[in-house]
C-alpha cells in the first residue's frame, strides 16, 4: 500500500510544480504588460515625481499580487491524492477505476466492509501493476503552459516593438518609470549642444570661443548668460553662422579670469558651464654665469637679475639660469640661427649653457605640464667681443731718456 501512496505523492509534487511554473509564466506576462503600459504613460505624458511614485507603487502592487496568486495556491494547497488518482483514471480509461478503488481501500477500515486483507492486497498490487508503465506527463497543464508562454513572448515583443516605434520617447519613459523619485529635465523642443575647446580651459588674455549647435526647433537667437562679478548673470547674444543656420558662436574676449555661463535658446536652458583660465609659463628672471676662455685666466663671473643680453669674449661659455612664472616640464634655448639647446628643468627653474662664437640673439622657450608655452617669448642679444692682439704701452718714464 505504501508503494501506491508514494507513487501518488510523487505525481502530486510534479503536478504542483508544473502548475506553479505555468502560473509563474502567466504572472510574468501580466507584470510585463503592466510595465509596458506604465512606461507608455511616462513616454507620452510628463509626470511629476509624486505621480510617478504612485504609478510605480501600483505596478509593484500588481506584480506582488499576481506572483502570490500564481505561486501560493499550487504550492501551499496541492491537490489531494484522491484527486491525483481521479486524474489518472480520467486520462487512462484502461484503469477502469482500479486505481481509485485501491486508494479508497487503503484509507478505509476494511474489516467494517468484510474485505479480507488478502483481497485488498491483490487489488492494490493490480493497480500498481496497471499504473507502472503510465507517465503522469498527460496530467500536466501543457496546453495552458504553451498559452501562457505565448502571452509572455507577446508582451516582450510589444516592448521591443515600442522601443523601435518610439526610439526616443519610449526609452526615456522607461527610464523615468524605473526611477520614480529622480528628478528629470523635461524634454524640450530645442536642443543645444555646447562645444568648449580644450575641455573648458583657456589661456589668460586670449580669446576663447564656444560653439553652440541647435537641433530640433531652431531658435532665432541664442543668449549667453555670463556671470560678471556682483552683477550676476548678464545676457550676451551669440552670433549665428551665416552659412550653417544651426550653428552659433560666442567669444570671450581677452579672458583674464575664470568664467561661468549658461545658454538659453528657444525653450532650452543649459546648466552652468565653467571656463578655467590658465597662465602661460613666462620667464620672470635670468641669471648669467660667464666662464671665460682659459688663456685669459679670468675668474668666472655671475651676473644676477640682468636684462638677459650677453656681451662676452669669443669662446666664453655662458650658463643661463631662468626662473619661470610656474612649474615647467621642458625648456630650451633657441638661437637666432635656428640652433636649439635643451635645458635641464627642476620645478620652475631651467638651466642651459651656450658658447659665444658670433653675434646674434636668443630666446628661452618653456612649457608647463599641460603643454602651454609663450608664443612670443622675449628676445635677448648676443654680442661677441673680439679677442684682439695684445697692445704694449710704456707708461713710465713716458719720454725718451738719454743714459
Amino acid at each position: 500500500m505504501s508503494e501506491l501512496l508514494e507513487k501518488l505523492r510523487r505525481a502530486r509534487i510534479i503536478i504542483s510544480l508544473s502548475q506553479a511554473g505555468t502560473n509563474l509564466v502567466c504572472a510574468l506576462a501580466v507584470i510585463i504588460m503592466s510595465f509596458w503600459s506604465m512606461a507608455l504613460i511616462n513616454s507620452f505624458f510628463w509626470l511629476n515625481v509624486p505621480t510617478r511614485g504612485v504609478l510605480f507603487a501600483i505596478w509593484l502592487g500588481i506584480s506582488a499580487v499576481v506572483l502570490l496568486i500564481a505561486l501560493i495556491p499550487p504550492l501551499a494547497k496541492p491537490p489531494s491524492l484522491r484527486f491525483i488518482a481521479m486524474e489518472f483514471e480520467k486520462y487512462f480509461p484502461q484503469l477502469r477505476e482500479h486505481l481509485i478503488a485501491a486508494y479508497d481501500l487503503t484509507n478505509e477500515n476494511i474489516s467494517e466492509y468484510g474485505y479480507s486483507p488478502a483481497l485488498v492486497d491483490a487489488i492494490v498490487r493490480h493497480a500498481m501493476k496497471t499504473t507502472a508503465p503510465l507517465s503522469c506527463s498527460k496530467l500536466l497543464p501543457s496546453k495552458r503552459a504553451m498559452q501562457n508562454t505565448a502571452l509572455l513572448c507577446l508582451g516582450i515583443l510589444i516592448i521591443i516593438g515600442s522601443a523601435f516605434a518610439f526610439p526616443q520617447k519610449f526609452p526615456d519613459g522607461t527610464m523615468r518609470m524605473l526611477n520614480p523619485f529622480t528628478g528629470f529635465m523635461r524634454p524640450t523642443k530645442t536642443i543645444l549642444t555646447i562645444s568648449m575647446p580644450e575641455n573648458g580651459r583657456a589661456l589668460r588674455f586670449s580669446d576663447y570661443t564656444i560653439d553652440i549647435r541647435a537641433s530640433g526647433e531652431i531658435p532665432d537667437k541664442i543668449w549667453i548668460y555670463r556671470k560678471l562679478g556682483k552683477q550676476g548673470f548678464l545676457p550676451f547674444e551669440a552670433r549665428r553662422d551665416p552659412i550653417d543656420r544651426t550653428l552659433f558662436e560666442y567669444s570671450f574676449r581677452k579672458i583674464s579670469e575664470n568664467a561661468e555661463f549658461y545658454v538659453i535658446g528657444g525653450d532650452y536652458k543649459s546648466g552652468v558651464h565653467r571656463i578655467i583660465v590658465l597662465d602661460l609659463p613666462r620667464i620672470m628672471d635670468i641669471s648669467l654665469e660667464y666662464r671665460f676662455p682659459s688663456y685669459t685666466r679670468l675668474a668666472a663671473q655671475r651676473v644676477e637679475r640682468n636684462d638677459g643680453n650677453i656681451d662676452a669674449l669669443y669662446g666664453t661659455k655662458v650658463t643661463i639660469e631662468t626662473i619661470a612664472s610656474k612649474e615647467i616640464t621642458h625648456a630650451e634655448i633657441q638661437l637666432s640661427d635656428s640652433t636649439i639647446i635643451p635645458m635641464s628643468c627642476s620645478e620652475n627653474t631651467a638651466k642651459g649653457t651656450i658658447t659665444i662664437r658670433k653675434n646674434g640673439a636668443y630666446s628661452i622657450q618653456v612649457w608647463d605640464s599641460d603643454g602651454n608655452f609663450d608664443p612670443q617669448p622675449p628676445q635677448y642679444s648676443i654680442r661677441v667681443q673680439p679677442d684682439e692682439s695684445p697692445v704694449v704701452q710704456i707708461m713710465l718714464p713716458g719720454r725718451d731718456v738719454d743714459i
Side-chain angles (χ1 to χ4, degrees):
M1 295 182 183
S2 60
E3 294 179 3
L4 175 63
L5 295 177
E6 183 62 28
K7 183 178 182 65
L8 293 176
R9 288 193 187 98
R10 287 199 301 269
R12 179 170 64 180
I13 292 173
I14 294 173
I15 292 172
S16 297
L17 291 177
S18 177
Q19 289 177 343
T22 301
N23 293 348
L24 179 61
V25 173
C26 182
L28 291 176
V30 173
I31 292 172
I32 286 179
M33 293 302 293
S34 60
F35 172 87
W36 170 76
S37 61
M38 297 293 182
L40 207 62
I41 292 173
N42 277 276
S43 300
F44 289 93
F45 299 95
W46 185 258
L47 307 176
N48 55 29
V49 170
T51 305
R52 284 192 282 119
V54 170
L55 287 178
F56 188 73
I58 291 174
W59 177 70
L60 287 180
I62 292 173
S63 302
V65 169
V66 297
L67 285 174
L68 290 175
I69 293 175
L71 298 177
I72 288 181
L75 298 179
K77 298 180 67 176
S80 65
L81 296 182
R82 193 174 194 282
F83 176 82
I84 301 299
M86 292 176 63
E87 288 294 296
F88 267 107
E89 295 281 1
K90 177 181 177 181
Y91 286 98
F92 301 103
Q94 64 269 32
L95 294 176
R96 290 179 294 183
E97 299 188 359
H98 291 165
L99 183 58
I100 296 176
Y103 174 77
D104 289 341
L105 288 174
T106 58
N107 289 277
E108 298 289 343
N109 186 356
I110 58 176
S111 61
E112 293 182 4
Y113 299 97
Y115 297 130
S116 66
L119 177 61
V120 173
D121 217 30
I123 294 174
V124 170
R125 283 198 305 273
H126 179 72
M128 288 294 298
K129 182 179 179 181
T130 307
T131 56
L134 303 180
S135 171
C136 63
S137 59
K138 284 191 175 182
L139 281 63
L140 303 179
S142 303
K143 183 177 180 180
R144 190 157 62 91
M146 293 179 62
Q147 292 173 343
N148 291 347
T149 303
L151 184 63
L152 175 62
C153 293
L154 177 62
I156 295 174
L157 289 175
I158 289 176
I159 290 180
I160 295 174
S162 300
F164 278 101
F166 312 104
Q168 183 65 40
K169 289 186 175 181
F170 190 76
D172 290 345
T174 301
M175 182 63 67
R176 292 195 294 272
M177 186 262 178
L178 292 176
N179 298 274
F181 305 109
T182 302
F184 291 90
M185 184 179 291
R186 187 165 188 168
T188 57
K189 296 179 181 178
T190 299
I191 298 176
L192 303 180
T193 303
I194 303 169
S195 298
M196 300 177 62
E198 302 297 331
N199 295 321
R201 297 182 299 177
L203 298 177
R204 195 180 300 275
F205 304 120
S206 65
D207 292 343
Y208 186 81
T209 302
I210 61 171
D211 292 331
I212 305 107
R213 174 76 65 178
S215 58
E217 190 174 283
I218 308 301
D220 293 328
K221 294 182 178 181
I222 289 179
W223 297 92
I224 311 297
Y225 281 77
R226 181 177 175 181
K227 190 174 184 179
L228 297 175
K230 296 181 179 180
Q231 301 180 60
F233 289 91
L234 298 180
F236 297 85
E237 185 177 350
R239 187 182 71 87
R240 186 196 290 266
D241 189 280
I243 300 175
D244 188 349
R245 304 295 290 173
T246 66
L247 182 62
F248 298 76
E249 67 174 30
Y250 177 78
S251 293
F252 294 79
R253 300 293 183 186
K254 305 298 180 184
I255 188 167
S256 60
E257 58 184 2
N258 296 343
E260 293 182 349
F261 70 95
Y262 62 88
V263 179
I264 291 181
D267 60 348
Y268 182 91
K269 178 181 178 181
S270 76
V272 176
H273 296 268
R274 185 176 176 85
I275 301 173
I276 306 298
V277 175
L278 304 174
D279 284 311
L280 289 175
R282 300 180 186 276
I283 301 301
M284 305 297 293
D285 187 30
I286 293 182
S287 298
L288 302 177
E289 184 178 0
Y290 294 89
R291 287 177 298 188
F292 302 102
S294 58
Y295 68 86
T296 65
R297 298 183 181 180
L298 296 175
Q301 180 183 0
R302 184 176 179 85
V303 182
E304 302 281 356
R305 299 183 178 278
N306 60 91
D307 57 10
N309 295 322
I310 297 175
D311 190 346
L313 191 65
Y314 179 90
T316 300
K317 291 185 177 181
V318 181
T319 298
I320 304 171
E321 186 173 346
T322 66
I323 298 178
S325 59
K326 59 190 299 189
E327 186 171 339
I328 55 178
T329 58
H330 180 62
E332 60 188 29
I333 301 170
Q334 299 175 347
L335 300 179
S336 55
D337 62 359
S338 300
T339 301
I340 295 177
I341 301 172
M343 305 178 74
S344 60
C345 299
S346 176
E347 296 183 351
N348 67 328
T349 63
K351 182 185 289 188
T353 301
I354 61 175
T355 301
I356 306 304
R357 292 189 174 91
K358 61 181 178 180
N359 294 331
Y362 76 97
S363 62
I364 300 173
Q365 187 63 273
V366 293
W367 287 263
D368 62 14
S369 58
D370 295 316
N372 298 317
F373 64 94
D374 187 354
Q376 295 180 331
Q379 297 283 323
Y380 309 101
S381 64
I382 298 176
R383 184 166 177 265
V384 179
Q385 295 290 345
D387 187 7
E388 298 177 346
S389 301
V391 176
V392 178
Q393 183 177 4
I394 299 174
M395 304 300 296
L396 290 173
R399 58 187 175 81
D400 294 339
V401 176
D402 294 332
I403 299 177

